[in-house]
Amino acid sequence: MTDQPPREQWGTRLGFLMAAIGSAIGLGNIWRFPKVAFDNGGGSFLLPYLIALLTAGIPLLILEYTIGRKYRASPPAALRALYRPTQAIGWWQVAICFVIATYYAVILAWSLRYIGFSFTKAWGDDPNGFFFNDFLKAADEPGTISAFVPGVALPLILIWVVTLVILGLGVRRGIERANKIFIPLLVVFFGVLVIRAVTLDGATTGLNALFQPDWGALTNGSVWVAAYGQIFFSLSIGFGIMITYASYLNRRSDLTGSAMVAGFANSSFEILAGIGVFATLGFMAAQAGVGVDDVVSGGVGLAFVAFPQIISEMWFGQVFGVLFFGSLVIAGLTSLISIVQVIVAAVEDRTGISRTSAVLSVGGATGVVSVLLFSTNGGLYFLDAADHFINQYGIALAGLVLLVMVSWVARKLPMLQRNADATSAVLLGRWWKLCLGVITPVVLGWMMTDSLINEFRENYEDLPTSFLLYAGWGVALAALVVGIALALIPWRRPSPALTEDEDRDLLTKGEPR
């Protein structure tokens, strides 16, 4: 053993589960899942979605939990101990988290401002013009930065201060306590919002549009790809988050049960979000006298254009607005904390500096980049391009490479299965190795191929090629290059990961299996 100080641990299993669920439940659950489900068969989409959860989501969660708990380290150190060549994947994930954190925080800043705007319905009769022109002061051309936007910068600084304070307090006193407050609060906020939404005129029409099954869609391969894509992106898999969070688990924690609870909790919230969003869109369609198809949107358009319009038309819409944008802030904040924690933990393990120093240095640097770039009139374009490319060719690709290396090259799945089974109530069978060794890599490879074909067929959102080369492709490639470069730097201190003998010794102590 090394002379390193004991690693922090979660205070309770509930604390870990709250943090894991909080990381998984984010902005994508609220504004991505309803649109994806609607576009891919409605009610029938739930079948491939459930299959994707069972064959990819939960198995991948168990894999990342096992790697994190076994080696008790951040992704670079844990993967280095697992199989030295995969260390670069760990640093790649850290670089991906840095990119995501910089722009993810600004969406929370927008949501925070919109809580205040909801009281006065500040967007008036033109929510679209208000958001893009009055609030963001968006530039006419992508890549242009000519003005600083104080209305975005101030709430963004506040978001970063709150995030860094929580991280600075540590795993147990900061992250665990925050999630024990935020997750119940989010459930209350969104629960009230859904109850209000389903009582609106036209809500039934919206729900029928969402859940009306199109069974023919099940024969469409793109629907299945969409289901696996949604599960992959919504569970915080591929970022290194779950490896990091699991590294603070007790050595005898139940991994399989925890993965099932976190996976089903996340999916339950997604379905709840779908009900709330489509009930509200049904109201909007009824008010406008059009079909639900004509008002359906996702992402930024749903949150900051469609919903403000609904709030303006709704009786007592101010409260609805506060609940909706408050939910976005809470859901996003728990995810942002987990993303930045990956960067902080990696630097702690690599350099041996204290948590406070790591939070102030790398966490602070991430916040500074976020404020300087995304508080400008060109920030929206950079956000859109970076988000698309780092998701498609960062998170998903890193996950695919990790699976191939662990299951096909290093052949570590049997060993990891024994480690998970040693402390889990539900033992893993051949299905786990089949899912991770065959099904998930094939589906992720299919997703990559399909995405690349579409990428080269036409520019994303018709953005200029020159802009996409550095703000999209360039960002995704830079994350990979940084990951490889950091992996090439020799470790000058012992890795925090346990050796095989120490791990085996710990797992065989105490009560029998």
Side-chain angles (χ1 to χ4, degrees), residues 166-324:
I166 291 172
L167 288 171
L169 289 172
V171 170
R172 185 178 300 189
R173 294 190 303 124
I175 300 174
E176 182 171 341
R177 285 183 181 177
N179 278 283
K180 283 184 176 179
I181 296 171
F182 289 151
I183 298 305
L185 189 61
L186 174 62
V187 172
V188 171
F189 267 39
F190 214 79
V192 173
L193 185 148
V194 169
I195 292 172
R196 177 70 181 102
V198 297
T199 61
L200 295 169
D201 293 335
T204 303
T205 304
L207 294 177
N208 287 339
L210 174 63
F211 290 113
Q212 185 71 38
D214 174 13
W215 298 111
L218 296 180
T219 60
N220 187 340
S222 64
V223 171
W224 289 84
V225 170
Y228 277 86
Q230 178 61 29
I231 285 294
F232 194 80
F233 294 129
S234 72
L235 280 177
S236 294
I237 301 169
F239 297 68
I241 292 172
M242 293 308 171
I243 293 177
T244 304
Y245 271 8
S247 72
Y248 304 111
L249 278 172
N250 181 283
R251 299 296 300 176
R252 300 196 64 81
S253 299
D254 183 339
L255 301 184
T256 305
S258 295
M260 289 181 175
V261 171
F264 282 107
N266 173 74
S267 294
S268 298
F269 187 87
E270 285 198 318
I271 295 172
L272 181 68
I275 293 172
V277 168
F278 266 81
T280 309
L281 291 176
F283 167 79
M284 183 178 179
Q287 293 296 105
V290 298
V292 176
D293 291 23
D294 298 319
V295 298
V296 170
S297 62
V300 170
L302 171 70
F304 300 104
V305 177
F307 263 74
Q309 183 177 338
I310 293 166
I311 293 165
S312 294
E313 298 170 354
M314 186 186 300
W315 178 77
F316 218 43
Q318 295 93 329
V319 174
F320 190 88
V322 170
L323 290 172
F324 178 73

Side-chain angles (χ1 to χ4, degrees), residues 94-229:
V94 172
I96 288 169
C97 284
F98 175 83
V99 173
I100 294 175
T102 59
Y103 69 75
Y104 199 87
V106 78
I107 304 174
L108 307 191
W110 298 346
S111 303
L112 191 61
R113 283 299 304 277
Y114 264 70
I115 293 175
F117 292 155
S118 296
F119 285 105
T120 60
K121 301 178 182 177
W123 46 78
D125 297 327
D126 184 15
N128 187 76
F130 176 82
F131 177 65
F132 291 103
N133 301 324
D134 300 338
F135 177 50
L136 295 184
K137 305 185 187 302
D140 295 330
E141 297 292 333
T144 301
I145 296 179
S146 58
F148 195 65
V149 186
V152 174
L154 294 177
L156 181 54
I157 291 171
L158 179 59
I159 290 292
W160 275 109
V161 168
V162 172
T163 300
L164 296 182
V165 167
I166 291 172
L167 288 171
L169 289 172
V171 170
R172 185 178 300 189
R173 294 190 303 124
I175 300 174
E176 182 171 341
R177 285 183 181 177
N179 278 283
K180 283 184 176 179
I181 296 171
F182 289 151
I183 298 305
L185 189 61
L186 174 62
V187 172
V188 171
F189 267 39
F190 214 79
V192 173
L193 185 148
V194 169
I195 292 172
R196 177 70 181 102
V198 297
T199 61
L200 295 169
D201 293 335
T204 303
T205 304
L207 294 177
N208 287 339
L210 174 63
F211 290 113
Q212 185 71 38
D214 174 13
W215 298 111
L218 296 180
T219 60
N220 187 340
S222 64
V223 171
W224 289 84
V225 170
Y228 277 86

Side-chain angles (χ1 to χ4, degrees), residues 426-448:
V426 179
L427 301 184
L428 300 174
R430 292 180 180 177
W431 69 273
W432 188 69
K433 289 181 287 188
L434 175 65
C435 289
L436 294 182
V438 180
I439 296 175
T440 307
V442 168
V443 173
L444 282 175
W446 185 5
M447 284 171 56
M448 288 293 100

Side-chain angles (χ1 to χ4, degrees), residues 423-486:
T423 60
S424 296
V426 179
L427 301 184
L428 300 174
R430 292 180 180 177
W431 69 273
W432 188 69
K433 289 181 287 188
L434 175 65
C435 289
L436 294 182
V438 180
I439 296 175
T440 307
V442 168
V443 173
L444 282 175
W446 185 5
M447 284 171 56
M448 288 293 100
T449 303
D450 183 64
S451 179
L452 281 170
I453 291 173
N454 291 328
E455 215 71 66
F456 292 123
R457 184 177 295 152
E458 59 180 321
N459 282 1
Y460 171 68
E461 294 293 331
D462 292 323
L463 291 169
T465 301
S466 58
F467 176 71
L468 291 179
L469 284 176
Y470 68 86
W473 291 108
V475 168
L477 181 61
L480 173 59
V481 171
V482 167
I484 295 173
L486 289 174

